[in-house]
Amino acid sequence: MPAPQRKHRRGGFSHRCLPTPQTAMTPQPAGPPDGGWGWVVAAAAFAVNGLSYGLLRSLGLAFPDLAEHFDRSAQDTAWISALALAVQQAASPVGSALSTRWGARPVVMVGGVLASLGFVFSAFARSLLHLYLGLGLLAGSGWALVFAPALGTLSRYFSRRRVLAVGLALTGNGASSLLLAPALQLLLDTFGWRGALLLLGAITLHLTPCGALLLPLALPGDPPAPPRSPLAALGLGLFTRRAFSIFALGTALVGGGYFVPYVHLAPHALDRGLGGYGAALVVAVAAVGDAGARLVCGWLADQGWVPLPRLLAVFGALTGLGLWVVGLVPVVGGEESWGGPLLAAAVAYGLSAGSYAPLVFGVLPGLVGIGGVVQATGLVMMLMSLGGLLGPPLSGFLRDETGDFTTSFLVSGSLILSGSFIYIGLPKALPSCGPASPPATPPPEMGELLPAPQAVLLSPGGPRSTLDTTC
């Protein structure tokens, strides 16, 4: 950094040099550092993911107790997670906009407090309405302020190893499910659902120190000042880009089925004849496959052998097929059975869903450029909220009508397959018909998949180009 700028950083700031939240802390490097403090940010994002999506995935174990206590149906209790998912994702652009204006650190810390208060409030619920407000609205609002800023900040710290870093952060979902599923069942058996929710509130408060680790990073291509218009802060202008619009439509359809197992995988295992701990084991093995696949797929994507949009379409389709398999598994022998076929199907689903997850966020910098990745993350979460709101209640309704979750998982898998087919319209999602011309490297602030005249751009894998073809 030139000396005059360094002087301003150490001393007082003039009106002209007042930094943005992304530039106030560190000098502007030539590009993402691809490591260093970025690994600390990855660890913080890992914990954020585990204490939001991982916790929400395991929460379905409490729904049978809630349905029995309040004498309500599976569809009614499913609205708890549906509202939490919908609020979290629909309000994610607000979290992104606040992060763009004030920085990710204070936004995530406030979100952690709100999420914790939601669980504490719900522990004293006297009706399902109280749970809708506590877990659905209050905890969901807190989660909306933590996920997109944390993941967007992580993407800014990496370039060559970006998808691997995102995959590492997203394994927090699987690791948390692996630990929390049996732990929550133990808490339910020991303290009841009220005590379990109260303890989960204490655990969720750990989101606050995670937010303190999200140091801002300035990069080339960042705007000189935070956007003043609310619409500009939300990043709605990204929808004018054709590739991002295609991606958004496909992701919205995928969201209609992707979150159904988060809510109904454990109840589905119970319907298939397993006991409480057997159902927890099904959730746990799916989480293990999910977590391992996120790391492996992140490493594979960063090698640049296959373009990210192509991998996104393939693994999205495999996730839909995996849900079909889970739904078609036959009834097991009894509560003492381990449910081998369902365990195998859960592992297959976990592997495919885990491979899909890092690609959704890893492809965003290529579509919108590194400067718009935080806003794009929030918008993607908002679009998936449509599925998060409708998918689990529809699944619960189909279960009430048919007597089991078979139809629910078949419909959910079909929605994911439909979204995966739409991804085929993304740049480089399909091979072309001739040998590629020599690649050209885009500017660091541009996306790898953004148009560039007379050039075939590099994959996000760094200096290695993908072996592709063109006419």
Side-chain angles (χ1 to χ4, degrees):
M1 175 179 287
Q5 295 182 16
R6 190 157 51 241
K7 178 180 179 181
H8 282 296
R9 184 169 61 89
R10 292 178 178 174
F13 295 104
S14 69
H15 177 73
R16 292 185 306 163
C17 299
L18 185 64
T20 69
Q22 294 177 345
T23 62
M25 182 130 201
T26 59
Q28 191 177 70
D34 240 349
W37 190 260
W39 295 117
V40 178
V41 176
F46 173 93
V48 166
N49 186 246
L51 293 175
S52 54
Y53 282 106
L55 195 157
L56 192 56
R57 170 179 282 185
S58 304
L59 199 58
L61 290 168
F63 286 177
D65 289 350
L66 296 175
E68 180 181 358
H69 180 85
F70 293 108
D71 193 23
R72 303 294 287 270
S73 66
Q75 180 184 2
D76 293 333
T77 55
W79 276 101
I80 299 172
S81 291
L83 286 172
L85 274 170
V87 171
Q88 178 202 15
Q89 295 176 296
S92 284
V94 177
S96 298
L98 293 175
S99 177
T100 302
R101 182 65 181 87
W102 302 107
R105 177 190 283 179
V107 174
V108 174
M109 294 176 71
V110 171
V113 174
L114 290 178
S116 178
L117 289 176
F119 277 91
V120 173
F121 175 81
S122 299
F124 300 95
R126 298 299 178 186
S127 69
L128 278 185
L129 177 60
H130 294 163
L131 292 172
Y132 294 158
L133 295 175
L135 294 178
L137 183 61
L138 190 55
S141 298
W143 284 332
L145 299 181
V146 301
F147 185 80
L151 208 62
T153 301
L154 176 62
S155 295
R156 294 174 58 82
Y157 270 88
F158 289 88
S159 176
R160 184 172 58 87
R161 293 179 285 189
R162 178 180 294 139
V163 187
L164 175 61
V166 170
L168 175 63
L170 293 181
T171 57
N173 186 330
S176 176
S177 298
L178 176 63
L179 296 174
L180 286 178
L184 178 56
Q185 187 63 50
L186 179 62
L187 293 176
L188 290 169
D189 292 341
T190 306
F191 302 105
W193 64 267
R194 294 187 187 276
L197 291 182
L198 195 61
L199 291 172
L200 288 178
I203 295 173
T204 306
L205 191 59
H206 287 79
L207 286 167
T208 300
C210 292
L213 298 175
L214 301 179
L215 302 185
L217 177 69
L219 292 174
D222 288 340
R228 297 182 180 274
S229 167
L231 294 180
L234 292 172
L236 298 181
L238 295 175
F239 286 108
T240 60
R241 301 183 180 183
R242 179 179 177 274
F244 183 76
S245 297
I246 293 173
F247 173 81
L249 177 59
T251 303
L253 284 174
V254 169
Y258 190 83
F259 297 106
V260 167
Y262 281 48
V263 181
H264 286 145
L265 181 57
H268 175 60
L270 295 173
D271 278 355
R272 284 295 189 255
L274 294 179
Y277 287 97
L281 180 62
V282 170
V283 175
V285 297
V288 171
D290 186 297
R294 293 181 186 216
L295 288 177
V296 174
C297 185
W299 174 85
L300 173 65
D302 281 334
Q303 303 312 303
W305 296 330
V306 183
L308 290 185
R310 197 173 304 169
L311 288 174
L312 184 68
V314 169
F315 284 114
L318 290 176
T319 302
L321 294 175
L323 276 186
W324 280 1
V325 174
V326 170
L328 294 173
V329 169
V331 177
V332 300
E335 290 192 4
E336 301 301 323
S337 171
W338 287 98
L342 183 56
L343 287 175
V347 170
Y349 156 75
L351 291 173
S352 56
S355 299
Y356 168 84
L359 297 171
V360 173
F361 301 102
V363 77
L364 283 178
L367 294 174
V368 303
I370 193 65
V373 68
V374 176
Q375 295 168 316
T377 302
L379 291 174
V380 168
M381 301 300 295
M382 178 188 70
L383 292 167
M384 295 187 77
S385 72
L386 300 176
L389 176 64
L390 300 177
L394 174 62
S395 176
F397 169 77
L398 293 174
R399 193 270 179 206
D400 293 336
E401 292 295 318
T402 62
D404 58 37
F405 285 100
T406 299
T407 304
S408 300
F409 280 87
L410 292 179
V411 171
S412 301
S414 299
L415 289 173
I416 296 176
L417 285 170
S418 300
S420 301
F421 288 136
I422 291 177
Y423 287 147
I424 295 176
L426 292 173
K428 295 189 178 182
L430 291 174
S432 301
C433 56
S437 58
T441 304
E445 69 274 11
M446 297 293 290
E448 295 87 350
L449 302 176
L450 296 179
Q454 307 298 324
V456 178
L457 302 182
L458 283 180
S459 76
R464 300 170 296 243
S465 63
T466 56
L467 182 59
D468 206 353
T469 56
T470 182
C471 296

